[in-house]
Each structure stands twice: as structure tokens, then as C-alpha cells.
Amino acid sequence: MTVRMADMAWPEYEKRIKAGAVVILPVGSIEQHSYHLPLGVDRYLPALVAERAAEELGAIVAEPVLYGARSQMRMGGGQTYPGTTSLSPVTLMHVIRDVLTAFIAHGAKKIVVCNGHYENMMFTFEGIDMALKDAKMLGVDDVRVMRFEYWDYMTRETIDALFPDGYPGMELEHAALIETSLMLHFRPDLVDMSKLPNESAGDFPAYDIFPATREGVPPSGALSPPNRARAEYGARIAGDCVKGIVADIRKVFGA
Ligand SMILES: [Zn+2]
């Protein structure tokens, strides 16, 4: 039985929504991820983690929001790389608003937004807020939305084991150990380990400058070295994320 909304016929989708299924919306981006990873990392990972969780929960995973918020130099290398294709904040907020409003119109009461691109964070809050205000104006006030970044479900034990020399923080993990390991676990066909960059981590001041340049960004666009990445690490991270997400969705929605 599929968990993907796009693979269901409408009567099946309707039946599951009426039975109280949770609907998960992954939100991603199309953004450079160094020489060795594809542009779609942030669009694949939240959707793949969500699908695993959905299989345990009997939830529905909607097609992801593919394009995300503008890449910031200190979080994703910035907009100057070919392939990085972003939405303006207003567009992104309204895409999230419109998609969630549609789910609510279908009768969904339990909605989850699973973010996979750092820069999307605040705009997911705003899109959710607008959708709930729209719903309320239409007299629907029994919808709840939960949102998170999937990587926040990595446990402290996993972080300590994978980063014995210290964790640089998720914003510097762009195209680095975590994302490369997860892609080796989920989609090894899309990773080219022969193209790993050989460079040091990004080195950024506390400020941003506009117009943005690539100053401080390692040439490949990976913000920390991905060289220790392994599929087993990816399996461990994915395991943490799925376990934590399933537990929290059950806690929030009693699903
Ligand atoms: Zn990424």
C-alpha cells in the first residue's frame, strides 16, 4: 500500500483522509550540494524520511514543495551557483498556504510540515499561520499542524559518535557528512564519491554582504568536508529521524 498521495487515486485518498490519516508535506529546495551530490538533496531527504515514518503511521506523504527559500551563503553557499533555483519568500509562503488550504478543504485535520532546507524554516511558520487563518475564516477550527526540521531528530548519541571532534552545527553541514551519508543510505545511485571535494570548512564572518559573493564558501559549495560520510552513518541518522518523528506524531495527534 503506497503512502504517496501522488500515487493514489482520489477515492483512496478520500477514504484515508476520512479515516483520520495524517498528511505530511515535505518542503525542500533545488540547490547546489557540492560536486558529489545532486541539486535535489533537500527535496529528496525530507520526503524519504517522511515516507519511512508514514509507513509506520499509515500516514499520507504529499508531493514535496520542490523549490525553497533563497540559499544563504552561510547556510547553503548562496544563490551564485548554477542550478540553485529558489522562490521569493512571499511566493514560498503562499505555496505552503495554498497547499495546506487544499488539504484542509479535503478534510485533513492532522497535518505535518517536514522541512529539509534550512532557509525555509521561518517561511513554513508563516505559510502554516496563513492557512490556519484561512481555515478559521471558513469556519474550520479543528485542524492542527505540526512542523519540524527532520535533522533535529538526530540523537545526541549519534551526533557524538559521528562528530568526535565536535559538531559544526546543521547550518555548516550543507552537502557535508550528514547529507552525504543520508544520500548514500537512501539514494546511492545519485552520489558520486569520486567527486568528493578536497577542501576545508567554510569560514564566515558574523555578517552578510550584499550583493552576495562566494567569499568564505569553499569552492565546491560544501560548507564542511563530507569525506568521512558512509552509508552506515546515513542508516543510523535515518533511523533516529524516523523513530523520533513517528513517536512525536503519535504524541501530537494520537495517530
Ligand atoms: Zn541540503
Side-chain angles (χ1 to χ4, degrees), residues 68-249:
R70 264 198 289 276
S71 180
Q72 302 295 322
M73 277 169 68
R74 292 192 278 149
M75 300 167 197
Q79 287 294 123
T80 67
Y81 287 82
T84 298
T85 308
S86 309
L87 301 178
S88 70
V90 173
T91 307
L92 178 59
M93 289 188 292
H94 283 277
V95 169
I96 293 168
R97 172 195 199 169
D98 288 356
V99 172
L100 296 186
T101 300
F103 298 159
I104 293 167
H106 304 153
K109 303 293 184 196
K110 305 166 186 170
I111 299 173
V112 173
V113 173
C114 173
N115 182 30
H117 172 63
Y118 202 93
E119 292 89 325
N120 289 342
M121 197 181 293
M122 292 308 164
F123 309 118
T124 64
F125 279 89
E126 299 303 326
I128 292 165
D129 189 64
M130 289 193 289
L132 287 183
K133 281 182 179 143
D134 290 349
K136 205 161 187 183
M137 289 209 319
L138 295 169
V140 180
D141 60 2
D142 57 349
V143 177
R144 289 172 79 211
V145 183
M146 170 186 181
R147 56 136 265 123
F148 52 79
E149 281 67 45
Y150 75 82
W151 55 77
D152 281 338
Y153 283 95
M154 272 188 302
T155 62
R156 175 45 61 187
E157 294 73 44
T158 296
I159 290 172
D160 289 345
L162 267 52
F163 296 95
D165 300 328
Y167 179 46
M170 194 59 199
E171 62 275 27
L172 273 190
E173 265 302 301
H174 180 76
L177 181 76
I178 292 170
E179 289 185 319
T180 305
S181 296
L182 281 169
M183 287 299 285
L184 285 170
H185 170 63
F186 280 116
R187 291 298 305 267
D189 55 311
L190 298 178
V191 184
D192 187 346
M193 293 298 270
S194 73
K195 297 220 166 74
L196 281 177
N198 183 13
E199 55 195 18
S200 42
D203 183 18
F204 300 107
Y207 54 82
D208 297 300
I209 286 282
F210 301 90
T213 66
R214 292 188 196 176
E215 205 181 322
V217 182
S220 76
L223 298 192
S224 303
N227 308 62
R228 292 190 302 108
R230 293 158 65 164
E232 303 101 273
Y233 293 169
R236 179 168 177 171
I237 298 164
D240 282 0
C241 293
V242 171
K243 189 171 165 209
I245 288 167
V246 166
D248 275 0
I249 290 177

Side-chain angles (χ1 to χ4, degrees), residues 33 41-42 174 179:
H33 275 74
V41 168
D42 294 357
H174 180 76
E179 289 185 319

